[in-house]
Amino acid sequence: MEKDLGREIMEMRECYRNGNTKPMSWRRSQLQALRSFLQDYEVPIFRALNLDLGKHYVEAFRDEVGLLKKSVNLALNDLKRWMTSTGAKLPIIALLSSAELVPEPLGLVLVISPWNFPLGLSLEPLIGAIAAGNAVVLKPSELAPACSSLLANTLPKYLDNQAIKVFEGGPAVGQQLLQQKWDKIFFTGSAKVGRIVMSEAAKNLTPVTLELGEKCPAVLDSLSWSFDKEVAIKRIIGAKYGSCAGQACISIDYVLVEKSFSSTVVDMMKAMIKTMYGDNPRESHSVARIINKHHFLRLKNLITDPNVKDCIVFGGSMDEDNLYIEPTILVNPPLESAIMTEEIFGPLLPIITLDKIEDSIDFIKKRPKPLAVYAFTKNEDLRKRMVSETSSGSVVFNDAIVQFAADTIPFGGIGESGMGKYHGKFTFDTFTHYKAVARRSFFTDFWYRFPPWNNHKLELLEDSYNFDYFGLLLVILGLKRSRKTFHVN
Amino acid sequence: MASEEEKKAVFDAESAKEVVKELRASFAAGKTKSYEWRSTQLNAMLKMMEENEPQIIAALRDDLSKPELESSIYEIAMVKSSCTVALKKMKHWMMPEKAKTSLITFPSSAEIVSEPLGVVLVISAWNYPFLLSLDPVIGAIAAGNAVVLKPSEIAPATSSLLARLAADYLDRSCIKVVEGAVPETSALLEQKWDKILYTGNGRIARIVMAAAAKHLTPVVLELGGKCPVIVDSDINLQVATRRIIAGKWGCNNGQACVSPDYIITTKNYAQKLVDSFKCELERFYGKNPLESKDLSRIVNSNHFARLSKLLDEDKVSSKIVHGGERDEANLRIAPTILLDVPQDSLIMTEEIFGPLLPIILVHKVEDSLDVINSSGTKPLAAYLFTNNKKLKEKFVATVSAGGLVVNDTTVHLAEHTLPFGGVGDSGMGAYHGKFSFDTFSHKKAVLYRGFAGDAFVRYPPYSRGKLRLLQALFNGSFLGIIRALLGWSKS
């Protein structure tokens, strides 16, 4: 098996070297094929997502399929522009030279995707890698098996099999793949595995983009208008429980709120959960399942500690057979407890109360840099401080998760939450080498570039480097002498 | 005495930890964030270069016998130019960049804010010890970071001068120079940095990246490779030859990452090219180049031995057509040209990094592209001398390298609007000009939404109607939205 994998990858490299993936026509045809796949297989995709994660088809469209269609259309629309070289401004002294940045593919790239958005996080990087003209290997997560096999069995019917391949499998296959030589690795997943990916990549000096996680806080300021309060709570609840049941890297992990506001918040949240999910959320089929037993038990353990259990104010019931956990709210679990130190990645929402809302800034700063910081506030000063004093992949005001849908701002982490970015043109860029190309003519030659050296030439060179054209003219005319006299050794 | 003890104190992991701790505290206190701090530091650096030119030139002479002019132009002037560009443009670079928003997040506004990464590590090389130390540091400062610089121990005079000058001119609580060799570098690499910029060779780069992986630290690796020069016939041979000489022996005697490493030319043209080199080399360096003051020496005996080995290989030593003279005591090797060396020789498989220039022969000039592309590695730079438009286009389209130059060598480095960096084995990431600022910044996306304009279709309870609306919303079509609202579109 191992030899086969190595051989297949070598063949892909040959394919890339032959230039098959470079022409705009190839890239366009592959993107159009992907678009057809998303259209033709929409229902099977919904089915697979429901099988793997219990996702409702509207959630699947909103969070995965719809976004992918948008991305592939954007890539098709903008492909020509993205592939065009951009000229670089040159100072006048360069005279007859020109300089430009030429985008070129990196070569053969590896995309490793996670189980929580198994279609979205596989195909979004794939779209950019193809648009940038690369050959691609995709390794979807084995923890979402229906989606993994859908991709493995169906993509070959639509895409160029020689240049784009899907390899299914678990950690063993992942390890084998990591030992090959790639021109880039794009990894979405946990920080623990991210470190392993980067260590392996170091052996071949392979650049990496790591899209990781961390606890994304939501700061909820006391809002005076009841309309604003409603919308804020709705967005928080929707972002926590409505996107893969909180199993998303950009889920709201916990909420920070002022003591005086907290009981209102809890009441409003309880009411909102009822509105969105009914009295029995499980029956609404709108809350995704926990991916597997391992994660179910991990989440169960988070609320086993009596000190934590006592903080539950809503929900808390768990059904191990069906891997279902109902939307749960806790108030002020101990800060040293696991639920407040590890990324939750599930439908448990701790609310932490503070004396004043400004304390949230220090609270966030003390902790590892998350993928996103969310702040629901109309206070201009607080907003400014949030942006300038905290650090995170992104900051979103008065909403959550939507930044994922925007393709004009980069999506990526910092520190523990990752390195590199993508979405929109940023995906194209992440799989591209911008090659600097400078051209000169034979005509203009600065004779003072060459030895034998003397002070006169030195003065000329200095003025050239300082773009001091007047000074240059004076020296050439012999009207300016070098201020310094060096001891030419 | 206290200072003697201090000097002998080992810089170990504990010391490295202390340094990082101090810098983190300075960064957390916000010292490096303000525009004022950044411009004060950059101005201080300019002053530092201006007031110490003779000392810098002397240090470079000690370490590399670098000709004064090379020191003044390729190190001092370039550093000053970097500072000046940063000072001029920094305010603009620091401003958030507005981003467009689409129907999906309507109504909203967005911007990309540049924020400093925090505490960064710059590890520099011995061949341009001033430039490759200070140029990245300029970028780090301009982007608002605290910096530790580890200069190369192979250029000790420059290393200690840098340490002294930095302590005298720059803010010691935020910018530090740590001198040392392998143990000190290892101690530094064990710490958690917010970014590491390393300039050097591929072997150490792997170690740097592996250490960075433990802390999920992003890296920029500026490495090297064999930079090829394709020389076509029907060109202005004299100008081409001079430009190649300037890039090879005029750049630290070939000890530069972007120096032309080897030449590819046609069998028919080779002799003309060799003759032109002989003529121009004598014009530049005289009849006794071993004594010319306009050439750097080989940096140390290790590298001298390495280069001698390349020349002494059996199938290569007979191919010398010019030069080959050596002076081991003074670590000097004359500009040496070799003709038609075998492609599997050491001199053609390793990066030369010295004053030896092999010439490979092909039948027709287009074949040279295959020679480069089949080498299996991407160099930092590739050069082409030609007047043939088609060849130029093919060169740009098919040769992958950090940067390409047509009809010159190395000049692209001085252009701060071009990113300087490698690809594949020649490195990852880039810097110079605004690219330095960007490489030491975190580009944070900030999205502002209001409470109005809530798309109820986002939330459960879910329904087919909501699906249709979402589909229309993602298509960006107003008509589709209206149709969906009126229940007219097909499900």
Side-chain angles (χ1 to χ4, degrees):
Chain A
M1 216 289 239
E2 225 171 296
K3 246 203 298 197
D4 280 343
L5 195 141
R7 190 176 46 81
E8 274 194 79
I9 287 168
M10 243 172 41
E11 284 168 10
M12 291 182 79
R13 215 168 249 300
E14 259 321 293
C15 171
Y16 172 75
R17 265 206 208 111
N18 290 334
N20 296 3
T21 63
K22 277 190 146 187
M24 194 181 327
S25 54
W26 181 87
R27 307 182 201 193
R28 214 174 260 293
S29 71
Q30 297 306 294
L31 293 172
Q32 283 162 345
L34 260 176
R35 184 166 59 184
S36 303
F37 163 72
L38 291 168
Q39 196 56 45
D40 300 342
Y41 274 78
E42 193 171 80
V43 172
I45 289 173
F46 288 158
R47 214 178 288 135
L49 285 166
N50 191 269
L51 250 156
D52 282 336
L53 291 149
K55 268 193 206 189
H56 191 285
Y57 65 85
V58 177
E59 180 184 335
F61 182 85
R62 186 198 67 199
D63 291 351
E64 301 206 49
V65 179
L67 289 178
L68 287 172
K69 285 183 173 176
K70 174 183 72 73
S71 287
V72 81
N73 281 328
L74 179 78
L76 280 164
N77 272 343
D78 288 359
L79 186 61
K80 185 153 187 229
R81 189 167 58 85
W82 293 352
M83 284 175 71
T84 309
S85 303
T86 46
K89 221 172 79 161
L90 290 175
I92 307 169
I93 197 82
L95 288 177
L96 294 175
S97 301
S98 72
E100 56 180 359
L101 289 178
V102 176
E104 61 174 32
L106 290 170
L108 176 58
V109 305
L110 173 64
V111 174
I112 301 175
S113 65
W115 51 259
N116 56 348
F117 294 85
L119 261 295
L121 298 179
S122 295
L123 299 182
E124 182 79 38
L126 182 65
I127 290 168
I130 291 174
N134 298 279
V136 196
V137 165
L138 169 63
K139 208 233 37 93
S141 171
E142 73 283 12
L143 296 181
C147 291
S148 175
S149 67
L150 177 69
L151 286 170
N153 295 330
T154 321
L155 283 182
K157 297 187 192 155
Y158 283 82
L159 302 174
D160 176 351
N161 283 345
Q162 290 200 310
I164 305 170
K165 288 190 199 284
V166 180
F167 285 103
E168 289 195 87
V173 171
Q175 189 60 27
Q176 272 176 54
L177 286 170
L178 283 175
Q179 276 156 11
Q180 307 298 315
K181 182 165 161 60
W182 305 97
D183 297 299
K184 178 125 193 180
I185 300 176
F186 188 104
F187 170 79
T188 309
S190 72
K192 180 165 94 86
V193 180
R195 282 173 165 82
I196 297 172
V197 170
M198 190 171 169
S199 302
E200 289 296 328
K203 295 179 184 158
N204 288 313
L205 293 174
T206 299
V208 300
T209 293
L210 305 174
E211 295 272 330
L212 312 175
E214 270 308 322
K215 295 173 80 64
C216 298
V219 176
L220 180 53
D221 195 5
S222 323
L223 302 160
S224 32
W225 290 43
S226 64
F227 176 77
D228 294 347
K229 282 197 270 235
E230 274 280 325
V231 173
I233 299 289
K234 194 179 345 168
R235 289 176 178 177
I236 292 174
I237 297 297
K240 180 68 181 189
Y241 307 110
S243 215
C244 208
Q247 300 167 99
C249 50
I250 41 174
S251 276
I252 292 179
D253 190 280
Y254 62 96
V255 173
L256 293 167
V257 78
E258 241 170 47
K259 252 191 205 109
S260 49
F261 192 39
S262 61
S263 52
T264 315
V265 167
V266 174
D267 289 337
M268 287 185 79
M269 283 187 173
K270 290 181 185 177
M272 187 58 64
I273 292 176
K274 280 212 172 70
T275 310
M276 285 191 184
Y277 304 109
D279 285 317
N280 196 342
R282 180 141 47 139
E283 289 177 13
S284 71
H285 299 294
S286 300
V287 179
R289 232 185 23 233
I290 306 307
I291 183 69
N292 61 17
K293 211 149 237 166
H294 164 76
H295 280 279
F296 183 92
L297 291 171
R298 178 185 63 79
L299 288 162
K300 189 167 174 203
N301 270 335
L302 290 180
I303 54 175
T304 310
D305 181 349
N307 287 327
V308 176
K309 212 184 187 115
D310 288 341
C311 301
I312 297 179
V313 297
F314 184 88
S317 77
M318 303 191 166
D319 176 356
E320 191 164 335
D321 293 328
N322 293 305
L323 295 177
Y324 175 79
I325 295 178
E326 74 168 313
T328 302
I329 304 176
L330 308 92
V331 177
N332 284 329
L335 294 179
E336 335 74 62
S337 58
I339 201 172
M340 279 312 295
T341 52
E342 292 169 13
E343 190 179 1
I344 296 171
F345 230 69
L348 315 173
L349 180 63
I351 297 181
I352 307 291
T353 61
L354 306 164
D355 284 328
K356 45 190 212 321
I357 199 65
E358 286 78 9
D359 295 343
S360 57
I361 293 178
D362 275 333
F363 192 96
I364 295 171
K365 274 168 83 166
K366 282 203 193 88
R367 290 163 169 80
K369 299 176 184 184
L371 207 41
V373 164
Y374 301 113
F376 293 82
T377 179
K378 282 179 141 168
N379 182 335
E380 204 44 56
D381 276 334
L382 184 62
R383 283 203 210 187
K384 285 209 179 93
R385 285 191 64 197
M386 223 22 107
V387 174
S388 64
E389 293 180 41
T390 66
S391 185
S392 56
S394 45
V395 183
V396 184
F397 288 105
N398 302 332
D399 207 336
I401 305 216
V402 280
Q403 77 273 26
F404 195 77
D407 42 50
T408 52
I409 48 177
F411 182 80
I414 176 90
E416 285 294 309
S417 52
M419 59 180 77
K421 52 194 188 262
Y422 73 129
H423 281 191
K425 180 169 189 283
F426 299 104
T427 320
F428 177 89
D429 292 342
T430 217
F431 287 106
T432 293
H433 166 52
Y434 281 97
K435 185 167 70 180
V437 179
R439 295 166 213 261
R440 293 214 59 201
S441 95
F442 285 105
F443 290 123
T444 48
D445 210 10
F446 301 113
W447 50 275
Y448 48 86
R449 252 177 89 182
F450 311 114
W453 299 131
N454 55 49
N455 289 332
H456 184 62
K457 289 189 180 181
L458 175 60
E459 185 67 46
L460 283 168
L461 280 167
E462 281 201 331
D463 287 341
S464 299
Y465 270 90
N466 283 326
F467 311 127
D468 179 4
Y469 306 118
F470 190 59
L472 195 58
L473 188 61
L474 289 179
V475 176
I476 291 173
L477 293 175
L479 294 174
K480 179 168 132 165
R481 243 177 310 188
S482 178
R483 299 160 273 129
K484 313 156 245 213
T485 39
F486 288 122
H487 297 288
V488 180
N489 56 332
Chain B
M1 282 188 289
S3 62
E4 282 301 327
E5 278 165 38
E6 270 169 42
K7 270 190 211 148
K8 290 207 184 114
V10 166
F11 185 89
D12 57 4
E14 266 310 308
S15 335
K17 213 175 186 175
E18 282 305 311
V19 166
V20 176
K21 199 163 150 213
E22 188 190 339
L23 289 182
R24 277 213 185 279
S26 300
F27 180 75
K31 280 186 169 185
T32 61
K33 271 200 145 182
S34 70
Y35 173 78
E36 285 69 36
W37 181 87
R38 305 182 201 193
S39 69
T40 308
Q41 296 310 299
L42 294 176
N43 276 313
M45 198 182 290
L46 264 178
K47 198 161 164 240
M48 177 177 102
M49 303 303 282
E50 272 156 25
E51 288 175 1
N52 292 280
E53 268 197 63
Q55 291 90 317
I56 295 172
I57 291 173
L60 289 166
R61 192 186 321 126
D62 279 345
D63 285 334
L64 299 151
S65 296
K66 200 172 267 209
E68 260 177 60
L69 217 127
E70 279 192 47
S71 300
S72 291
I73 297 310
Y74 297 134
E75 302 234 27
I76 299 172
M78 298 244 322
V79 172
K80 282 162 77 176
S81 169
S82 263
C83 276
T84 314
V85 167
L87 279 164
K88 198 162 145 212
K89 309 251 176 172
M90 200 164 53
K91 244 200 183 105
H92 176 69
W93 293 345
M94 284 171 71
M95 280 177 6
E97 200 188 306
K98 284 251 166 280
K100 281 206 320 235
T101 53
S102 70
L103 188 62
I104 293 179
T105 51
F106 182 83
S108 62
S109 70
E111 56 184 9
I112 301 170
V113 171
S114 294
E115 63 175 34
L117 291 169
V119 180
V120 304
L121 174 64
V122 173
I123 302 175
S124 80
W126 55 259
N127 56 343
Y128 285 80
F130 254 86
L131 179 64
L132 299 176
S133 296
L134 297 179
D135 212 353
V137 169
I138 290 168
I141 292 173
N145 300 278
V147 198
V148 168
L149 166 64
K150 213 305 281 167
S152 171
E153 70 280 13
I154 298 181
T158 326
S159 174
S160 63
L161 180 60
L162 273 168
R164 184 169 66 74
L165 291 179
D168 287 342
Y169 284 81
L170 305 174
D171 181 348
R172 260 177 273 190
S173 67
C174 305
I175 305 168
K176 289 199 193 288
V177 176
V178 172
E179 292 195 79
V182 174
E184 291 78 7
T185 311
S186 305
L188 288 169
L189 285 174
E190 273 177 49
Q191 311 309 315
K192 179 173 161 65
W193 303 94
D194 296 302
K195 187 128 191 181
I196 300 176
L197 190 148
Y198 166 77
T199 308
N201 67 61
R203 189 178 63 85
I204 307 291
R206 282 165 169 81
I207 297 172
V208 171
M209 190 170 169
K214 300 200 177 110
H215 296 289
L216 290 174
T217 298
V219 298
V220 170
L221 306 173
E222 296 271 327
L223 312 176
K226 292 180 77 64
C227 302
V229 186
I230 303 174
V231 181
D232 196 4
S233 44
D234 192 29
I235 53 170
N236 184 328
L237 184 54
Q238 190 186 52
V239 170
T241 313
R242 288 180 175 180
R243 290 176 180 179
I244 296 173
I245 296 175
K248 177 79 173 186
W249 296 283
C251 279
N252 208 24
N253 207 11
Q255 300 165 105
C257 49
V258 285
S259 271
D261 187 279
Y262 66 99
I263 294 188
I264 312 173
T265 194
T266 50
K267 285 197 166 77
N268 292 337
Y269 202 62
Q271 197 49 54
K272 263 183 116 177
L273 182 59
V274 171
D275 291 337
S276 178
F277 269 120
K278 290 186 181 197
C279 174
E280 296 301 324
L281 278 170
E282 188 176 316
R283 194 196 299 260
F284 284 13
Y285 305 115
K287 285 199 194 302
N288 292 316
L290 278 179
E291 288 159 31
S292 169
K293 299 277 191 286
D294 294 331
L295 283 169
S296 297
R297 65 157 200 266
I298 306 306
V299 68
N300 61 19
S301 44
N302 278 345
H303 282 275
F304 187 92
R306 180 182 64 78
L307 289 162
S308 295
K309 189 162 160 223
L310 296 182
L311 277 181
D312 292 339
E313 200 183 356
D314 273 338
K315 44 194 172 176
V316 161
S317 50
S318 52
K319 306 284 187 180
I320 299 175
V321 293
H322 182 83
E325 299 93 358
R326 292 171 242 183
D327 174 0
E328 192 165 350
N330 291 309
L331 294 175
R332 289 195 174 268
I333 299 178
T336 302
I337 301 181
L338 306 95
L339 187 58
D340 198 16
V341 296
Q343 292 213 36
D344 58 351
S345 53
L346 274 175
I347 202 173
M348 278 311 295
T349 44
E350 293 176 10
E351 187 180 358
I352 295 169
F353 226 70
L356 319 175
L357 184 64
I359 303 180
I360 304 288
L361 303 177
V362 290
H363 278 297
K364 46 189 215 314
V365 76
E366 290 77 7
D367 295 343
S368 53
L369 298 176
D370 293 326
V371 170
I372 298 174
N373 288 333
S374 61
S375 71
T377 59
K378 301 177 184 180
L380 193 49
Y383 308 110
L384 167 67
F385 285 87
T386 187
N387 276 316
N388 180 334
K389 188 160 182 257
K390 269 189 122 182
L391 185 62
K392 287 184 197 178
E393 279 167 22
K394 206 159 175 234
F395 176 70
V396 173
T398 60
V399 173
S400 184
L404 301 180
V405 187
V406 175
N407 293 333
D408 208 330
T409 62
T410 73
V411 281
H412 60 307
L413 259 88
E415 190 38 70
H416 68 84
T417 53
L418 284 175
F420 178 66
V423 63
D425 287 316
S426 51
M428 58 180 80
Y431 72 122
H432 282 189
K434 180 170 190 284
F435 301 99
S436 294
F437 178 88
D438 290 343
T439 217
F440 286 108
S441 295
H442 167 48
K443 300 288 178 178
K444 186 160 75 177
V446 182
L447 183 65
Y448 298 89
R449 295 213 66 203
F451 290 105
D454 206 22
F456 67 95
V457 294
R458 280 166 60 177
Y459 310 110
Y462 297 130
S463 67
R464 280 215 184 284
K466 285 192 179 180
L467 175 62
R468 281 199 293 271
L469 272 167
L470 276 170
Q471 282 170 330
L473 191 67
F474 279 123
N475 275 334
S477 110
F478 280 111
L479 212 53
I481 292 173
I482 293 173
R483 281 216 302 264
L485 280 169
L486 295 173
W488 283 356
S489 54
K490 32 189 164 69
S491 78

